[in-house]
Amino acid sequence: MSQSFDVLVIGGGPGGYIAAIRAAQLGFKVACAESNAYDDPKGEPRLGGTCLNVGCIPSKALLASSEEFEKISHHVADHGITVGSVKLDSNKMIARKDSIVTKMTAGIQFLFRKNKITLLKGHASFEGKGADGYQVKIDGKDKEVVTAKNVIIATGSKARHLPNIPVDNVLISDNEGGLKFDSIPKTLGVIGAGVIGLELGSVWRRVGSDVTILEALPSFLGACDQGIAKEAHKIFTKQGLKMNMGVKIGEVKADKKGVVVNYTDSEGKAQKLECDRLIVSVGRVPNTEKLGLDKIGLKVDERGFIPIDDHTCATAAPGVYAVGDVVRGPMLAHKAEDEGVLVAEIIAGQKPHIDYNCIPWVIYTDPEIAWVGKTEEQLKQAGIAYKAGQFPFAANGRALGMDRADGFVKVLADEKTDEILGVHIIGPNASDLIAEAAVAMEFKAAAEDIARICHPHPSLSEVVREAALATDKRALNM
């Protein structure tokens, strides 16, 4: 007899496994199908998706290791600490990253057992719909067809590759290969100055690589508030990242000696970059192939995304939902998680809601970059009258004591109502500080609300408060 479930989740990444857990908490009989083994030595499908296995978590582990190396090599002397020769074992650094990933994937497996979620090991695709629900084929070691009343598609995304640039994840890598170099390249080229390109470029620069970044767009970090982007460009250039904007990539050749990238610079002049290794980081595309969507009357749009209702994540097929990177909106793990929870609760008859304007963005460089809400450019374009308050970490005692005083916080508030419209941070622990802003915006708080709340002293969070005060020209320490 075929197994039957109330909810079947296709994909075990952040959106998928969180949706499965929440659905199980709500009393449903739940299964989750996953086929990607990533680098599992036994070839077993691994939970956690791109984020845990070859994305967010491993990259942050490498960022932390490289930050420690750079700190000891170049910055501890300012604290009166003298060290001898500093060496890096890149293989051990990679092994530490892998052990963290393995530990966390095992943690998700434990959560599945705890919540009585059935893990279906294999590629899932729709076969059709019957009286009892949707028939979904699981093409794994144990081939079977299961039935589900509700299906949540959470198959994530994959790295976008450029035509005529073959990625082998040895000499020419995407984000996956860029996380597991077996040695430190003397010279590293990165195509793409987005989040992944900047993070991976930062990792290898800190441990000794000479890094050059090539970006097709004329402006740096176009999605950011441009005040933040300008500051970031200045800091990253000072750190040693070589960034070339407005380039056009030409022929790319790889041989035993390395990689040669021919390109045209922003002035139209022919240039050549010779490097030991190359990372191609030019965005991501949704994993929507081979799902059998046509068998249940669904089609993807021209970019490969599954069309959904913006409020419920429901597709045109009743009882079928899609979340995360396969649908519109930012490709962020925490956005996928929230959508997974939303769908599980909708299936249970609840009425959850996501305010997409309050979803924070983070770039884990050093200093970190984080923002939530509107940029100054967006507010100007929309004709919204606003006031801005800005405060530097250089005037904060905690940041100075940590020797991490680069950057600032900017708060944007409605000129009439004082409602917070956006908060933008470049500085230490920006990924944590932005959470206060997200909470404030969810509650429709005013800049005055943050300004009136007592913040601990000395702390980095005081910079957020000072920026809120600055919207009314009331900063206290500047």
Side-chain angles (χ1 to χ4, degrees), residues 50-51 54-67 70 93 174-175 178-179 181 188 190-207 209 211 213 220-221 236 239 241 243 279 281 284 331-332 334 361-371 431:
T50 293
C51 174
V54 291
C56 318
I57 302 303
S59 65
K60 303 314 165 284
L62 292 185
L63 282 161
S65 295
S66 65
E67 284 174 14
E70 185 170 59
M93 180 176 76
D174 54 22
N175 63 291
L179 289 167
F181 289 163
L188 173 66
V190 179
I191 298 178
V195 176
I196 296 172
L198 287 173
E199 290 183 359
L200 290 178
S202 294
V203 167
W204 297 107
R205 179 203 62 76
R206 291 174 194 152
V207 297
S209 294
V211 180
I213 298 178
F220 180 63
L221 292 178
F236 297 156
Q239 289 175 351
L241 285 179
M243 291 183 284
I279 295 175
S281 175
R284 301 185 65 78
M331 288 183 168
L332 299 169
H334 44 282
W361 297 64
V362 182
I363 305 175
Y364 293 87
T365 45
D366 186 17
E368 292 181 345
I369 299 169
W371 71 94
S431 57

Side-chain angles (χ1 to χ4, degrees), residues 6-85:
D6 297 318
V7 178
L8 169 63
V9 182
I10 302 177
Y17 85 77
I18 289 293
I21 290 171
R22 184 65 184 126
Q25 288 176 342
L26 291 165
F28 294 113
K29 184 181 179 182
V30 182
C32 180
E34 177 57 66
S35 61
N36 201 327
Y38 296 99
D39 290 326
D40 187 87
K42 297 180 181 179
E44 288 286 309
R46 294 184 70 161
L47 293 168
T50 293
C51 174
L52 174 50
N53 289 282
V54 291
C56 318
I57 302 303
S59 65
K60 303 314 165 284
L62 292 185
L63 282 161
S65 295
S66 65
E67 284 174 14
E68 292 297 321
F69 179 79
E70 185 170 59
K71 186 187 301 180
I72 295 169
S73 300
H74 303 292
H75 301 300
V76 294
D78 293 336
H79 294 265
I81 302 171
T82 301
V83 296
S85 177

Side-chain angles (χ1 to χ4, degrees), residues 259-397:
V259 184
V260 177
V261 182
N262 293 284
Y263 68 96
T264 304
D265 65 20
S266 59
E267 297 179 353
K269 297 179 181 177
Q271 303 287 353
K272 180 187 294 185
L273 172 64
E274 297 179 354
C275 50
D276 295 324
R277 297 198 180 190
L278 177 69
I279 295 175
V280 179
S281 175
V282 290
R284 301 185 65 78
V285 293
N287 284 323
T288 48
E289 307 96 341
K290 300 179 181 178
L291 287 174
L293 297 177
D294 57 313
K295 294 184 179 179
I296 58 169
L298 292 181
K299 294 181 180 180
V300 298
D301 66 17
E302 64 279 1
R303 296 182 299 162
F305 292 103
I306 299 173
I308 57 170
D309 174 88
D310 277 344
H311 301 292
T312 65
C313 292
T315 71
V320 178
Y321 303 82
V323 302
D325 288 4
V326 296
V327 300
R328 83 289 175 265
M331 288 183 168
L332 299 169
H334 44 282
K335 173 255 195 185
E337 289 181 352
D338 277 14
E339 288 179 335
V341 170
L342 175 134
V343 168
E345 292 177 351
I346 285 173
I347 293 172
Q350 299 181 15
K351 298 186 182 298
H353 171 71
I354 295 175
D355 185 344
Y356 286 89
N357 187 53
C358 294
I359 293 177
W361 297 64
V362 182
I363 305 175
Y364 293 87
T365 45
D366 186 17
E368 292 181 345
I369 299 169
W371 71 94
V372 62
K374 304 299 184 185
T375 66
E376 282 203 65
E377 292 72 31
Q378 289 171 329
L379 294 175
K380 288 175 182 176
Q381 188 174 13
I384 298 173
Y386 69 94
K387 52 185 179 178
Q390 187 167 308
F391 196 85
F393 284 96
N396 175 262

Side-chain angles (χ1 to χ4, degrees), residues 15-223:
Y17 85 77
I18 289 293
I21 290 171
R22 184 65 184 126
Q25 288 176 342
L26 291 165
F28 294 113
K29 184 181 179 182
V30 182
C32 180
E34 177 57 66
S35 61
N36 201 327
Y38 296 99
D39 290 326
D40 187 87
K42 297 180 181 179
E44 288 286 309
R46 294 184 70 161
L47 293 168
T50 293
C51 174
L52 174 50
N53 289 282
V54 291
C56 318
I57 302 303
S59 65
K60 303 314 165 284
L62 292 185
L63 282 161
S65 295
S66 65
E67 284 174 14
E68 292 297 321
F69 179 79
E70 185 170 59
K71 186 187 301 180
I72 295 169
S73 300
H74 303 292
H75 301 300
V76 294
D78 293 336
H79 294 265
I81 302 171
T82 301
V83 296
S85 177
V86 181
K87 295 181 180 179
L88 178 74
D89 185 336
S90 60
N91 290 326
K92 192 169 184 178
M93 180 176 76
I94 298 295
R96 173 183 176 273
K97 175 262 296 182
D98 292 340
S99 69
I100 292 170
V101 170
T102 300
K103 181 178 182 179
M104 293 197 69
T105 54
I108 301 174
Q109 290 173 353
F110 165 76
L111 291 172
F112 271 33
R113 293 192 297 271
K114 174 186 175 183
N115 290 281
K116 297 180 173 58
I117 298 166
T118 300
L119 175 59
L120 303 172
K121 299 178 180 180
H123 178 80
S125 60
F126 289 97
E127 287 284 282
K129 185 181 181 183
D132 297 329
Y134 290 95
Q135 282 84 49
V136 181
K137 179 173 69 175
I138 310 299
D139 192 5
K141 291 181 181 178
D142 299 321
K143 292 179 169 41
E144 61 178 319
V145 175
V146 301
T147 302
K149 296 176 184 176
N150 300 279
V151 181
I152 303 173
I153 302 170
T155 45
S157 62
K158 60 188 174 185
R160 176 174 170 254
H161 292 172
L162 293 173
N164 303 318
I165 302 182
V167 172
D168 58 9
N169 279 328
V170 179
L171 286 176
I172 302 177
S173 301
D174 54 22
N175 63 291
E176 293 192 31
L179 289 167
K180 56 184 180 182
F181 289 163
D182 55 6
S183 61
I184 300 169
K186 290 183 179 179
T187 54
L188 173 66
V190 179
I191 298 178
V195 176
I196 296 172
L198 287 173
E199 290 183 359
L200 290 178
S202 294
V203 167
W204 297 107
R205 179 203 62 76
R206 291 174 194 152
V207 297
S209 294
D210 183 355
V211 180
T212 301
I213 298 178
L214 305 176
E215 169 59 53
L217 295 175
S219 59
F220 180 63
L221 292 178

Side-chain angles (χ1 to χ4, degrees), residues 423-435:
V423 177
H424 306 269
I425 307 173
I426 177 169
N429 296 21
S431 57
D432 298 312
L433 296 175
I434 201 63

